[in-house]
Amino acid sequence: MRAMPTARYGSERRYLVKVLREVARRIERIASSLDEPALGWRPDEDDPAAAELLAYLRAAEREDLRALAGVLAADGARVEARRASPGTSAAPPTVGTGAGASAEASVEAEVAALLWDFAVLRDELVWQLETAGEAWSHAGLHPFRGTLPLADLVREIGDRDLDVMWRLQRIAAEAPGARRRVPRRRRARRLGELP
């Protein structure tokens, strides 16, 4: 088990909730900065596109929320094996098949809906964790892994989020013609406007 930086955050629980909240926000910022061609671009042949990653993220968040609610409600609740996986989740927006600005706007609207759904589900998950109290000591019963403490389940959610975030950052950086947003302060410093 890896060490958590609990001294700065007061407890492992607070740190885990902070990670879930902040990484989700970062994912939203990266994904909302991608244009239609970047949403459908694949870094490698076997890697999922950004739109597929976002569909996976929403499907996985639904599964995680169900599992979390069960474990919080009753110690020893059954935790289902994960079904969502990148590239095989619910149908992502079809990217690159339409013609013109209306198709691009449609894809970006579908991606915005995926992000919205993910954000709402994440807010619910974070709220449940923040109000869990003594239920943090609960554990679920996984069909293959046996006893799964709530903190381990939350760590797995955070690890999945970090994986998706890194994949989206790679797409944002490497996609041909992708919009590259440079933070205003760094851009101003580079142009000599700030000290």
Side-chain angles (χ1 to χ4, degrees):
M1 181 177 286
R2 63 184 162 193
M4 292 294 196
T6 56
R8 183 173 178 189
Y9 300 101
S11 71
E12 182 183 18
R13 296 174 189 174
R14 287 184 60 193
Y15 175 75
L16 291 171
V17 171
K18 177 188 182 319
V19 166
L20 292 183
R21 184 183 304 110
E22 291 186 8
V23 173
R25 288 179 184 155
R26 178 73 180 139
I27 288 170
E28 292 173 40
R29 284 193 302 272
I30 296 167
S32 63
S33 73
L34 298 174
D35 57 5
E36 198 262 345
L39 290 168
W41 183 77
R42 295 171 185 275
D44 293 317
E45 186 178 308
D46 296 336
D47 286 341
E52 294 170 335
L53 284 170
L54 296 172
Y56 155 67
L57 198 59
R58 180 185 62 181
E61 193 72 9
R62 286 180 178 157
E63 290 179 3
D64 293 336
L65 191 56
R66 277 193 302 272
L68 185 86
V71 172
L72 290 174
D75 193 16
R78 182 180 165 102
V79 175
E80 297 294 325
R82 294 183 188 270
R83 292 191 178 105
S85 63
T88 61
S89 298
T94 306
V95 181
T97 58
S102 64
E104 185 174 318
S106 173
V107 168
E108 289 179 359
E110 290 180 53
V111 167
L114 286 172
L115 281 173
W116 177 262
D117 289 348
F118 169 68
V120 169
L121 292 167
R122 176 52 56 94
D123 286 345
E124 175 68 18
L125 189 137
V126 166
W127 179 82
Q128 286 189 16
L129 288 171
E130 287 177 336
T131 59
E134 294 303 314
W136 272 92
S137 63
H138 289 187
L141 187 59
H142 191 275
F144 308 116
R145 297 167 50 194
T147 302
L148 182 64
L150 179 62
D152 288 353
L153 178 62
V154 174
R155 268 189 223 95
E156 288 177 11
I157 296 168
D159 288 346
R160 183 224 35 236
D161 288 353
L162 286 169
D163 178 56
V164 170
M165 182 187 78
W166 291 119
R167 289 176 185 220
L168 288 173
Q169 283 182 331
R170 179 179 179 199
I171 290 169
E174 296 177 8
R179 293 184 288 206
R180 288 176 177 73
R181 292 187 174 181
V182 177
R184 186 183 183 310
R185 185 168 179 80
R186 190 170 7 148
R187 185 176 61 232
R189 183 176 297 133
R190 191 173 48 201
L191 296 175
E193 298 170 8
L194 290 176

